[in-house]
Amino acid sequence: MILSFPNMGPNVYAFKTLFEQLDIEVVLPDPTNREAIKIGVKYSPEFVCFPFKATLGDFVSAIKKGADTLVMAIDCGPCRFGFYGAVQERLLHDMGYKNVNIIPLDQADLLDFKWVKTLQELSSKRDLFAYSKFVKAVIFFLKKAKLLSDIQTAEGLFRAYERNQGDTTKVFNTVINKLDQANTLKELRSFKNLIKEDFNTIDVDRTRTPLRVAIFGEIHISLEPFVNVDIRRKLGEMGVEIHQNLSLWDWVSHKFHLNFHRKWLEHLSHPYVPMDIGGECQWVLGEYIDRAQTGFSGCVHVYPFTCMPEVTARTIITNKLKNIYDLPIIFFSFDEHSGTEGMRTRLEAFVDLIESRRKHKLGIENISLEDDQRNFYKSNGSHFFQECFQLLQTQ
Ligand code: SF4
């Protein structure tokens, strides 16, 4: 058996570790590219969600590299995500890949432990030795998922201060490679320090006072840079500090009922959407309110074209929340036609707008940029974010 799974940015390395630790041979699809999207679009139903098409393209890429078993997360949620695996398997069979299976990995509630059975069946070992291996594989997966989230945090912060455009991207890619190579607990335990050391080599201008922008939205679009036209990098290279809670770690800890930040967002969004209607709708609304109350300059909402839950969130923000909280927000819906130039122009205009709003607001309140920055960092960001910020300030 040769196993594979679709791309979701660097998060594929956490899944790779999980399966390799169970002695399963893994091939990764090529990074998502035009060709994969073209294939996904060609063989998918026209009005299906864009992540369906992109992941179908990834599957074909993996099959061409030898994969015969594909893993696709499923959910019992209210939108189309629950059907991806079953429909994609039929499509692949129709395309002539008759011997390929898609194994559904149930992630509706990780505390019902259906995923344990799936992993046991995939590794086909159930003895005591396999049990300890299994625990180790899960620990490695969780540790790598958390570290990937920390790398994302550091990247979002450091890029806004880099003197030479591209330095942060280089360090980011190097650290991701090192994480992929790290396969002992000892290495993983000290990896946080390695992230800080590597990002600390970037030549930064610490006198800057960047705008602070939060990115949120549908999970596949938010985490896969090819499908979101690398929006984090583009915005970061305009000198904007990027804050993004959404990560694989954020999602997994939520599904283990350990993510209290998400509970807080659910509480904030409850008057507008009192239940999970699919996608990230509930949490997008919570994030918008939370970011408005904590001193952000603006927000970016990213989602796939035709994604019903995210369009619902957008409508509630535009018609209701924007009038109450008045935090500038820009919306990007992505599909196979999304391109760089239109997005860059809109982002530049957005950055100009939030810059002039900040000047105006601070002028009225008679607060300097430096004081505004100090107040913001006192109460925002995870512990790791604070550590990175201290590094920046003392470099
Ligand atoms: S969240 Fe949106 S894109 Fe994802 S399956 Fe549901 S409707 Fe489709």
Side-chain angles (χ1 to χ4, degrees):
M1 174 175 72
I2 303 180
L3 183 136
S4 192
F5 34 83
N7 286 313
M8 207 163 66
N11 296 294
V12 285
Y13 296 115
F15 288 102
K16 182 171 171 245
T17 292
L18 174 68
F19 294 114
E20 284 185 344
Q21 288 294 328
L22 294 170
D23 293 334
I24 299 171
E25 191 178 343
V26 172
V27 292
L28 295 181
D30 288 338
T32 306
N33 52 50
R34 276 270 150 250
E35 187 53 30
I37 301 284
K38 229 163 127 185
I39 292 174
V41 169
K42 183 171 173 195
Y43 292 99
S44 301
E46 187 182 352
F47 289 108
V48 78
C49 319
F50 183 48
F52 180 102
K53 299 174 183 174
T55 51
L56 184 68
D58 288 342
F59 280 153
V60 173
S61 156
I63 292 168
K64 287 183 179 161
K65 290 169 89 177
D68 53 20
T69 306
L70 306 164
V71 174
M72 185 73 197
I74 59 155
D75 208 328
C76 60
C79 71
R80 290 174 267 194
F81 181 54
F83 300 103
Y84 275 27
V87 180
Q88 284 174 329
E89 189 178 66
R90 286 186 65 169
L91 288 175
L92 289 172
H93 290 174
D94 291 348
M95 288 161 73
Y97 303 116
K98 302 267 185 235
N99 299 325
V100 168
N101 295 323
I102 295 191
I103 308 292
L105 186 61
D106 194 336
Q107 46 113 61
D109 180 350
L110 295 180
L111 282 188
D112 68 12
F113 295 104
K114 283 185 193 151
W115 54 276
V116 176
K117 203 165 161 245
T118 308
L119 293 183
Q120 274 179 340
E121 280 165 8
L122 280 170
S123 72
S124 66
K125 285 181 194 157
R126 285 166 192 255
D127 56 15
L128 194 60
F129 173 68
Y131 176 74
S132 66
K133 258 194 159 184
F134 179 80
V135 172
K136 190 176 160 203
V138 174
I139 290 174
F140 272 45
F141 169 76
L142 293 174
K143 276 199 172 291
K144 285 206 178 180
K146 175 70 176 77
L147 290 164
L148 283 161
S149 155
D150 291 338
I151 296 169
Q152 176 178 284
T153 301
E155 179 216 6
L157 178 65
F158 275 85
R159 192 176 277 121
Y161 291 85
E162 69 184 8
R163 279 185 205 273
N164 309 311
Q165 197 175 85
D167 279 2
T168 307
T169 307
K170 269 187 220 142
V171 170
F172 175 80
N173 291 334
T174 313
V175 176
I176 293 289
N177 276 337
K178 287 183 185 171
L179 185 64
D180 182 32
Q181 306 300 323
N183 277 318
T184 63
L185 261 183
K186 195 172 163 229
E187 284 173 288
L188 292 178
R189 269 196 216 109
S190 58
F191 206 88
K192 230 178 202 183
N193 291 334
L194 186 147
I195 299 173
K196 286 189 279 182
E197 277 163 25
D198 280 14
F199 275 94
N200 205 24
T201 59
I202 297 170
D203 183 15
V204 294
D205 176 0
R206 65 191 179 90
T207 60
R208 288 185 195 168
T209 49
L211 293 159
R212 303 173 293 258
V213 168
I215 295 189
F216 44 72
E218 190 272 340
I219 190 163
H220 179 261
I221 294 286
S222 301
L223 300 186
E224 172 47 53
F226 187 82
V227 297
N228 67 32
V229 201
D230 218 353
I231 193 166
R232 283 174 58 87
R233 186 172 61 78
K234 293 206 169 63
L235 203 46
E237 287 178 352
M238 291 175 192
V240 173
E241 194 179 294
I242 308 293
H243 293 247
Q244 183 177 329
N245 282 323
L246 185 58
S247 64
L248 176 64
W249 169 253
D250 179 65
W251 185 244
V252 170
S253 55
H254 165 63
K255 290 296 183 177
F256 274 117
H257 302 266
L258 292 170
N259 191 330
F260 301 109
H261 180 251
R262 277 206 178 228
K263 297 269 175 252
W264 168 242
L265 300 182
E266 283 166 21
H267 166 73
L268 291 176
S269 64
H270 193 266
Y272 309 99
V273 173
M275 66 180 95
D276 180 8
I277 61 161
E280 293 282 318
C281 177
Q282 250 192 323
W283 302 286
V284 161
L285 298 181
E287 280 238 32
Y288 180 78
I289 299 169
D290 190 44
R291 302 301 196 177
Q293 291 173 338
T294 48
F296 274 77
S297 322
C299 297
V300 180
H301 179 203
V302 293
Y303 57 92
F305 181 58
T306 78
C307 173
M308 176 274 297
E310 300 296 332
V311 172
T312 307
R314 174 185 175 152
T315 312
I316 296 173
I317 292 174
T318 326
N319 293 346
K320 186 90 188 163
L321 298 182
K322 194 130 189 313
N323 300 331
I324 304 172
Y325 295 99
D326 193 28
L327 177 67
I329 182 163
I330 187 164
F331 302 96
F332 284 97
S333 84
F334 292 95
D335 66 7
E336 62 273 22
H337 304 297
S338 302
T340 309
E341 286 318 314
M343 186 173 92
R344 186 185 296 280
T345 313
R346 288 185 63 205
L347 281 178
E348 281 169 359
F350 182 66
V351 170
D352 285 350
L353 172 96
I354 56 179
E355 178 70 71
S356 62
R357 263 184 65 117
R358 175 168 74 166
K359 272 194 198 133
H360 180 69
K361 188 164 168 271
L362 294 181
I364 290 174
E365 293 168 0
N366 201 16
I367 299 174
S368 71
L369 278 172
E370 289 72 22
D371 284 347
D372 173 59
Q373 194 186 34
R374 255 191 301 280
N375 292 339
F376 176 82
Y377 289 117
K378 254 190 242 160
S379 54
N380 272 290
S382 62
H383 184 62
F384 185 74
F385 178 89
Q386 293 292 343
E387 287 180 349
C388 289
F389 185 65
Q390 287 309 322
L391 275 182
L392 260 175
Q393 293 304 305
T394 51
Q395 216 190 51

